[in-house]
Amino acid sequence: MFQVKSPAKLDSLSGTWLGHQLTFSYNSASKTWIALAGVSLETTPGKYALELTGHRSALNSPLTFTRTFPVTRAKYPVIKVELKVEKKFTEPTPEQTAQIEEGVKIKHDYLNRVTPEREWSGKFVAPAHAEISDVFGSQRIFNGKTQSPHLGLDFRVPTGTPVAAMNDGTVLLARPLYYEGNFVVIDHGQGLLTLYLHLSEFKVREGDVVKRGQELGLSGGTGRATGPHLHVAVRWQGTYLDPSRLLQLPLP
Ligand SMILES: [Zn+2]
């Protein structure tokens, strides 16, 4: 969360960060401008600039400001236990490969959308009250083959547990996909999405407007899952972020 205090009254504040566009919202209680942003797991450690542009209707020229932030290397756990997953997920048939490709296309079409208006407000809440069974960034091994890092947060819940929206938004996807199983994606605006995987049942439809805490579906073990659990992910303008960090942010 970037928080900016401006020395002058602004009508709007925008910024760029790692090639992304940021739109700041004004929080009158703290008199600060805020925007959510993130860093990909693949970002090379270094110093990166946040470039700000403030607009005032009374002035023709905008106010600009630049500040650099260090991005440092983080350590993530390696899970050495072998997970047994059905062969259809590690060695799919041509028909299954076609279903996988269809899923890739749908995700490419939907998950990179950036709607301009912010829909979330206040703190993000956990989608279930349960123990965490796997954290973001861990390295996992399926049938002896190392997979890409775990880009979400797993909650240990049995099938049939209600799954709640982490914040206000609009249902972007609510349909079954090959790996994700029954899959719900909420668009919170400005490129921030939350994703809920492996559900046994849907309680919302695409296009529904949802409130924080609203039931989206019931947990399950559909798609590529070793058993019933809830996998949630946070995606910001095409980059997966750590959901536990979003849940910790004291957002106004
Ligand atoms: Zn997971």
Side-chain angles (χ1 to χ4, degrees), residues 12-85:
S12 68
L13 181 67
S14 58
T16 58
W17 168 250
L18 293 167
H20 298 274
Q21 295 296 321
L22 306 182
T23 305
F24 286 77
S25 316
Y26 189 65
N27 175 29
S28 50
S30 61
K31 296 190 170 63
T32 52
W33 292 85
I34 62 161
L36 287 179
V39 175
S40 153
L41 273 181
E42 283 86 42
T43 304
T44 308
K47 284 187 167 181
Y48 294 93
L50 169 68
E51 287 172 6
L52 298 171
T53 306
H55 295 276
R56 288 193 287 178
S57 53
L59 289 181
N60 292 328
S61 57
L63 293 177
T64 59
F65 184 77
T66 301
R67 163 121 182 237
T68 58
F69 290 87
V71 172
T72 57
R73 191 171 295 282
K75 272 209 162 185
Y76 295 96
V78 176
I79 295 175
K80 286 171 183 164
V81 180
E82 280 208 3
L83 297 170
K84 291 291 178 200
V85 175

Side-chain angles (χ1 to χ4, degrees), residues 134 140 150 152-154 198 229-232:
D134 194 5
R140 300 172 308 168
H150 185 231
L153 184 65
D154 287 353
H198 313 309
H229 73 285
L230 172 64
H231 173 108
V232 296

Side-chain angles (χ1 to χ4, degrees), residues 60-201:
N60 292 328
S61 57
L63 293 177
T64 59
F65 184 77
T66 301
R67 163 121 182 237
T68 58
F69 290 87
V71 172
T72 57
R73 191 171 295 282
K75 272 209 162 185
Y76 295 96
V78 176
I79 295 175
K80 286 171 183 164
V81 180
E82 280 208 3
L83 297 170
K84 291 291 178 200
V85 175
E86 293 170 73
K87 269 201 165 163
K88 70 174 184 175
F89 294 113
T90 52
E91 293 162 38
T93 65
E95 193 189 328
Q96 290 161 345
T97 300
Q99 291 172 15
I100 291 166
E101 283 168 2
E102 174 68 12
V104 168
K105 189 183 175 298
I106 289 166
K107 284 186 284 175
H108 184 265
D109 286 350
Y110 284 85
L111 301 189
N112 296 313
R113 292 182 187 182
V114 179
T115 47
E117 290 302 312
R118 186 183 101 167
E119 290 191 55
W120 63 267
S121 68
K123 262 185 80 89
F124 281 70
V125 297
H129 298 288
E131 194 188 326
I132 302 300
S133 52
D134 194 5
V135 298
F136 180 87
S138 63
Q139 195 77 57
R140 300 172 308 168
I141 299 156
F142 282 121
N143 294 2
K145 288 179 189 150
T146 301
Q147 303 286 305
S148 51
H150 185 231
L151 297 176
L153 184 65
D154 287 353
F155 290 83
R156 185 166 294 160
V157 286
T159 295
T161 307
V163 172
M166 291 166 71
N167 210 315
D168 299 356
T170 303
V171 178
L172 181 62
L173 281 176
R175 60 176 84 174
L177 293 185
Y178 194 77
Y179 286 121
E180 291 77 8
N182 292 330
F183 185 38
V184 171
V185 178
I186 305 214
D187 182 356
H188 302 286
Q190 298 176 347
L192 188 70
L193 312 177
T194 53
L195 293 69
Y196 311 78
L197 283 74
H198 313 309
L199 305 180
S200 58
E201 217 175 285

